[in-house]
Amino acid sequence: MADLGDDLPFVTQSVNLTSGNSLFAANNISTTKYTWLTWLPKSLWDQFRRIANAYFLLISILMLIGTYATYLFTTPLDPYSTVGTLLVVLLITSFKELAEDLQRGKSDKFENNRKVKVITFDESGNVIETEKQSMYVCPGDIVKLEGTMPSPVDMVLILTSIHADGNKCYIETANIDGETNLKVREAPPALMDAFPDVIQQGKLCPELFKGTLNFEAPNKNIHNFVGTLKLDAASDDVPLGAGNIVLRSALFSNTDWGYGIAIYCGQETKIQMNNRQAPSKMSKIEENLNKAIIIIFCAQVILVTISVISIYLMGFESESKLPYVFPPGTERASVLPLWLEQWFVFFHLYNNFIPISLYVTIELVNVGQAFLIQSDEQLYRKELDVNCIVRSSNLVQELGMVSNVFSDKTGTLTRNEMNLVKFVINGTLYDIETAEEAAEDQSSSPTNYMARFGSEQQGFYEFFRCLITCHTVVREKNGTYRAESPDELALVEGAGRYRCQLYERGSKEMEVSIFGEKITYEVLAVNPFNADRKRMSVLLREVKTDKYFVMCKGADNIMYPLCNMTTAGRNRVDSNLLDLANMGLRTLIVAQRELDKEEAMLWLAGYKKALVSTVNREENIANEGGKLEVGMKLLGITAIEDRLQDEVPEVIADMTKAGIIVWMLTGDKLETAINIGRSCNLVLPETHLHMLSRIDTPEHFAKRLREEYDAITKVPVNPNAALVLDGPSFLHFDDEDPDQRAMLLRIGAGSRSVIACRLTPTQKRELVRLVKTDTVPAATTLAIGDGANDVSMILEGNVGVGIFGKEGRQAANNADFAIGEFKFLRRLLLVHGRWNYVRQAKVFLYCMHKNMVLTLTLFWFSYYTAVSGTSLYESWVYTGFNFILGLPIIFYGFLDRDLSEEFALKWPQTYSTGRTNVALTTSALAVWILNAILYAIVVCLIFYYAVAPTFEDSGLYVAGTTVFVGLCMSLQAKVAFFHHQWAWPQILVMTISIVGMFLYFLMISASFNDYYNVAEKVYSSGIFWLFGFFFMPIVAIYIDWIGYYGKMLLMPTQEMLFREFEHADAFNNLQSLTCVRGATEDEPTKQTSERPLSTELHIDTIYSYNNNNRADGGSNNNSPARPASRGSFHTGSSKALPIYDL
């Protein structure tokens, strides 16, 4: 049975073959958000946290009170029209979330029902193998892994099919940490000492499993584990570490079978404890949405209050003046004062001031835009067979608002395909031999081969011996290498050019060839690389000579103090490192130390003691490793090349033209980072570097920061400035000092780019957070990376982009967007991002505008009804407003394109539309509000004055339906007017929307007594068709046409001029193409373009271009002809939809 120990954070578990371990977690997992009982309540609770939904819940309650508690107040509208609409909106979202949760539940069910082989023993010690569902596996069960399968639990490895060579297995951890490299896990070495015959024979016996396990409490740390195995048949405790654990979801690979003891199950496994929800990110549109709703609510309260005050100003406070509201001889039913009663009446009447469908519309547009991004064939990477993946559809328009991009270097800007290209031995720089050169001397003896190195034979031998032995590379059965890092693989493969080969790498022995001579080494200890140590070392015994060596490699700043060097030697190494860094190469220092047997055994005793410690084991092991890695001999320097990804310089150049500040965040040394910056256009030849590096005190940092701040603020805009910052100096940055924060941000904002090197993952995240939270006006940050160490930065950014890279998929799995390579970021931002921002901004503004117009017509109408609160529109007609106008604006939101993709990519400056948020400025909002007021005035003048006598013999709802249709058709016309391109889907939904409106009226006309036969009477009226269906939309379009072209002539926006410039550009390209086609074979075909060669796109340039590049070369009044089509709208299929210009 299981027993909880008193020495927490450790727990003690009794592992036997007969009793269960019911006190520990079962292996059942659940990633669902809801159960069938909690789905609806929790979903509704989440939705009512949205301001608009809470508002309409309040309205619905007040309407029900007004219907059933008339002694308080009465409602002018049918409450169930609003309640029903609210329920539809809520249920749509609830069922969407349920569908997503059912998918998660389906995945959970598959995992929980997976078959697992569990081993028990009978009384005679014979093995009994049974299958059970994964959910029923408990801590203490003996689990069998075989073939290629994911581990169902976190388990301690006990015995494997590779029992004769270290009792190890191979696993892939891409599902855990995103790394695709093959890793080694081994059974505790002490088991071999305790049961040598059993392990050598690979015999499964009860003695290996009877005992007690002491291990740490469940935690999230996937790289650490501390435990002790106490076996009844063993005299000593068996220490357990992370290298003895196979975690859940790790893929058992390249090993026939393995047995282990389950320790963590279900929700207590490390991967489940790390499966947290990514932080919820809210887009700028959503932030504006919540603010706008509050403002509109305040405006609604003001309108309601004005209406109530008007009752008294117009003398209608006396009931005798409202005979149709309060018939003579009756008493007023309400116990409330007249002003309060009427306040609630008008509050109900104007409830549509806030659009109930706003959230649903925005979400549907987001989903449509996300679908188009994922269907874009130009964002497909064939080598990996991956499309762009959108995981946060609510952020698609944020892609068009990015002002700062934070990029990792290795694997993001570079390929993460490492090649050893140069090395230094005794101060001399050598190039790695080509494959052809290396093949020339493969048949010569080791002695003859070494003779080529002359007096440096010993130096070459020791250098390459260290490269071929100091690593964790694994040789697979087919002869290929698998490594935990691309750097290690590059070093081993590079050494192969010099006849240095790895034949076998076990946990106990290593067989290598150095210059053709086979040598066997016993592996006594491995001190692994980690982010704190920044080095690795191995303790080896050469079997043939019985000599002991420490082989070590690591970062130069770490290795310097650990090597014995003279001042002259250090200066020479510094010079070599600087030369290699200026070539953009990644460098490591290689060193060794020879030990005598007594020193090696003494160190091993301390090391083994650290291995079995149950408190601070990792720290103790690191301390013991540090004792070994001292007084070493520097053997040389390796230089690894990591080439840039495709089109990186061009992408960064375009982002800079778009006004985006690019921050390159890397762990490389300063000179390497600057050189890479020059290669990828972050730093130009004329760029002045503002250096915040090699600073060792807070006071020095504050002084340098002030100096660079003063220097950069002398010039308001300096496109040729770049900031260079290193991690050790950034440690002295005072995050609590607002002046330092402001100065650093000002320097960054005044630079074309920022290069930050020697950074830890935490420092990367801090830089992103600093820019995101402190920049004024607020910056939209995008963080992009490909490795597990970039996840914190990606989660911190307003937008996180992960790259499917060689370091795995953890970055892609945690990002809002995942792409195949860095070059796709240009299209994602400049094309999709800009389109999405422009469209979503219009959707947001239009939704506010249409409901504002509707409410203002009711506000005006109230003065024709003695401010009584009578509704012009029947309740269900009023309710249908948002649904009737929903489809066209939704399809506009993910199909329209104001600029072609070719033009947006050719002129990155057009990205400023979203980056500066021009569509949602206060002035832009004011224009839409004024337009709504103007619409309402025109509607009221036409229908309340011009055709009012026609309605004298008609019912209220006949007049109301005519006005309603005129209003809806005007707003349909408005959507049509701001379309820039048309395809058949937009035409179809516009038709469905209009036809559906007429069918909807017929349906409610046949369903509700208050509206009985109204639709038929309206449709038979000539006034309805003349004014409601035709005249009012024409007037509305005319209003918008005058407004648009008046603004174009007097105060044109950049967006207007971008479109004009594109049309003129397309026209001239068409003329050039015509000239080329018209040339004879004898004539040289020569294309000329009168467009300015400047890469800057300014308003003056557009004016000049439009005025001077006409088809007839003459009058400026003649507009250039516009092309018949701008291209095609792609949905990811092989076919394309024709697109037509307005």
Side-chain angles (χ1 to χ4, degrees), residues 661-736:
I661 300 172
V662 182
W663 301 57
M664 184 179 76
L665 312 181
T666 176
D668 283 340
K669 62 183 300 167
L670 179 68
E671 291 78 11
T672 303
I674 293 175
N675 190 269
I676 293 294
R678 296 187 190 280
S679 302
C680 60
N681 274 339
L682 286 171
V683 179
L684 302 177
E686 64 273 14
T687 299
H688 174 70
L689 300 181
H690 295 268
M691 307 293 293
L692 287 174
S693 60
R694 298 189 174 94
I695 299 173
D696 51 10
T697 65
E699 295 77 16
H700 188 197
F701 185 89
K703 179 183 177 183
R704 288 283 301 279
L705 183 64
R706 170 62 68 178
E707 291 172 352
E708 298 300 338
Y709 173 79
D710 292 339
I712 206 164
T713 51
K714 289 180 181 178
V715 181
V717 178
N718 186 0
N720 292 322
L723 171 64
V724 178
L725 173 70
D726 67 9
S729 299
F730 189 57
L731 288 174
H732 303 297
F733 173 70
D734 186 358
D735 190 55
E736 302 297 326

Side-chain angles (χ1 to χ4, degrees), residues 183-229:
K183 295 181 174 61
V184 178
R185 292 293 182 266
E186 59 182 3
L191 285 178
M192 178 67 79
D193 299 333
F195 306 98
D197 295 334
V198 172
I199 299 297
Q200 283 293 335
Q201 297 172 16
K203 181 180 179 182
L204 196 64
C205 63
E207 288 76 14
L208 290 173
F209 301 96
K210 284 186 176 179
T212 304
L213 266 171
N214 294 325
F215 52 91
E216 60 188 356
N219 59 76
K220 298 180 179 181
N221 196 328
I222 62 176
H223 299 295
N224 294 313
F225 177 80
V226 177
T228 303
L229 176 62

Side-chain angles (χ1 to χ4, degrees), residues 888-921:
I889 191 62
I890 289 173
F891 273 73
Y892 166 86
F894 55 83
L895 291 183
D896 190 66
R897 299 185 297 178
D898 66 321
L899 298 176
S900 68
E901 60 185 72
E902 295 82 8
F903 188 79
L905 291 172
K906 184 176 183 179
W907 298 102
Q909 296 86 345
T910 59
Y911 187 77
S912 62
T913 301
R915 181 176 55 80
T916 56
N917 198 21
V918 295
L920 294 174
T921 58

